[in-house]
Amino acid sequence: MKLTVTFLLSLFFCFPVYSQSGTGSATDDFNLYKEMNNRESGLIEYKDNDESLKIKLKQLDIINKSRKRYRLPTVRLDILASRVANKATKEAGENNYISHWNLAGEKPYHRYAFAGGHDHVAENVYGEWTTGEYDLSLTEIARKMESGHGSFMAEKAPNDGHKKNIINKMHNYVGIGFYASEKQFRYNEEFIDRYLEFENIPARLKINETGNLTIRTDGSGYLFYLVAFREKLPLPMTLSQLKKTGSYDDFSKEEYLKMTGWELAKRRDGNIYHIPVKFSKEGLYYIHIYIDKKEITKPMSFSTKGKTQGSGIVIRVE
């Protein structure tokens, strides 16, 4: 008798709220995405071939149909995030675990940043395994991807973290990754909030070394608030530890650096911001930048509730 086990990793990540009182179908775009896939240099060993890219574009259509039901704009496929997802699903499938963490102890925003991404990312994870043997045809893989996404969308409140992630109005890109073997199947969705352009973002700094963040807006919005969370450098995790993990938070408990909108306004030159940063402790610094249509130029009451979280910068300090 064949036994198949499905596992949907419960997703719960929340964003801290800061306040101060006082084109058509995605499958028609195959040639465009193929060109983007060929240009992307990050994680080249996890590059999709043409057939994998095609089924991901079909899955993108399915994701966008889910968003359309809630009158939300479509998301586009992100090539780098898809490779990050390919890498994560491959490691998880080959080692028989399901987790938002990997064997190196890295969370989703770590993995995306270490691959070269600077945007905000939010992950959905799905997996299943069987005592029999899976059909490894592309048709069956596509069916399993659709089934995984369908499981997310079938969630009911209050246990509907995956569904809320899919229908988050701020998302405008998504990375799609899968892994399939005779016994294991994994599927990840990496939703991206891309509203800023980043230049000269240091991946590493020494303690008390000054780094400079160059951030460009499209001219329609302004940087509203910046907060850098400090966390310890990740440590390798055992399979036993990974199998005990559940949801992940999108920040740590230690807020190291904060900059208000009026402080950020002083760093703006046209639609470009030059922001110096310096850290006095070892660790990983995860930088959230919120944006808004209105600029704050003097001290006033504010809240980040409802504001777009437009970055996922991670800087390693040693």
Side-chain angles (χ1 to χ4, degrees):
M1 179 179 71
K2 181 177 75 171
L3 174 66
T4 299
V5 179
T6 299
F7 191 87
L8 214 69
L9 184 60
S10 176
L11 174 66
F12 177 80
F13 58 91
C14 57
F15 308 111
V17 174
Y18 299 90
S19 61
Q20 179 165 309
S21 299
T23 74
S25 172
T27 53
D28 295 334
D29 293 336
F30 172 71
N31 289 333
L32 172 63
Y33 280 111
K34 180 177 180 178
E35 181 181 348
M36 293 167 59
N37 194 33
N38 288 334
R39 287 201 310 264
E40 176 58 59
S41 59
L43 294 181
I44 195 69
E45 63 271 36
Y46 296 98
K47 178 182 178 182
D48 286 304
N49 60 30
D50 286 357
E51 295 308 309
S52 292
L53 186 59
K54 286 177 181 177
I55 64 172
K56 287 188 177 184
L57 292 176
K58 290 180 180 178
Q59 184 70 5
L60 180 63
D61 280 342
I62 292 168
I63 291 171
N64 279 325
K65 286 177 182 177
S66 295
R67 289 176 61 84
K68 186 177 180 180
R69 291 202 297 269
Y70 290 83
R71 299 181 180 180
L72 295 171
T74 59
V75 294
R76 295 186 64 80
L77 185 70
D78 186 78
I79 299 299
L80 179 62
S82 294
R83 294 184 187 177
V84 172
N86 286 346
K87 181 179 180 181
T89 53
K90 183 175 188 292
E91 181 187 286
E94 289 182 342
N95 291 279
N96 190 24
Y97 73 83
I98 299 174
S99 177
H100 288 298
W101 284 257
N102 64 7
L103 288 167
E106 300 163 349
K107 294 198 282 187
Y109 57 84
H110 297 144
R111 299 192 295 270
Y112 182 60
F114 295 162
H118 300 306
D119 309 295
H120 184 254
V121 60
E123 180 180 79
N124 283 349
V125 171
Y126 172 89
E128 61 177 63
W129 57 91
T130 182
T131 58
E133 289 187 2
Y134 282 132
D135 175 357
L136 299 181
S137 67
L138 289 175
T139 299
E140 180 61 15
I141 289 172
R143 188 197 68 77
K144 287 186 176 298
M145 291 166 65
E146 182 175 1
S147 177
H149 178 78
S151 297
F152 297 150
M153 290 303 297
E155 292 174 341
K156 303 295 183 182
N159 301 311
D160 58 346
H162 298 93
K163 182 178 179 180
K164 286 181 177 177
N165 193 21
I166 293 166
I167 61 174
N168 185 318
K169 67 179 181 179
M170 301 300 182
H171 299 332
N172 50 14
Y173 286 83
V174 65
I176 298 172
F178 69 86
Y179 170 82
S181 69
E182 292 181 347
K183 302 290 185 182
Q184 302 283 338
F185 177 76
R186 299 291 185 275
Y187 168 68
N188 281 20
E189 296 172 344
E190 315 288 343
F191 285 95
I192 304 294
D193 304 332
R194 177 168 297 143
Y195 295 92
L196 301 168
E197 293 182 19
F198 302 91
E199 301 174 19
N200 305 320
I201 306 298
R204 293 172 178 263
L205 288 174
K206 296 179 181 179
I207 292 175
N208 290 322
E209 177 186 4
T210 299
N212 290 285
L213 313 180
T214 301
I215 301 170
R216 184 190 304 270
T217 71
D218 64 2
S220 64
Y222 301 91
L223 302 193
F224 182 82
Y225 188 73
L226 180 152
V227 56
F229 297 96
R230 177 184 174 270
E231 53 192 282
K232 294 180 180 179
L233 297 174
L235 296 174
M237 298 178 69
T238 65
L239 291 178
S240 177
Q241 289 174 317
L242 287 169
K243 291 177 180 180
K244 294 177 182 177
T245 60
S247 58
Y248 72 98
D249 289 325
D250 194 51
F251 56 94
S252 70
K253 295 180 180 179
E254 183 180 348
E255 298 175 8
Y256 182 88
L257 171 69
K258 302 176 186 178
M259 295 184 70
T260 60
W262 54 90
E263 293 173 303
L264 292 166
K266 297 175 183 178
R267 301 291 178 180
R268 181 174 67 84
D269 181 9
N271 64 335
I272 301 176
Y273 292 77
H274 300 281
I275 305 171
V277 292
K278 183 169 66 173
F279 307 103
S280 62
K281 298 180 182 179
E282 179 184 81
L284 290 182
Y285 290 83
Y286 180 36
I287 301 176
H288 287 196
I289 299 174
Y290 295 86
I291 59 179
D292 192 32
K293 293 181 179 180
K294 295 182 180 180
E295 184 175 33
I296 300 177
T297 58
K298 59 183 180 180
M300 61 179 292
S301 299
F302 72 91
S303 173
T304 59
K305 185 177 182 179
K307 301 296 187 292
T308 301
Q309 215 281 64
S311 77
I313 298 168
V314 178
I315 299 176
R316 186 183 187 101
V317 176
E318 292 180 291

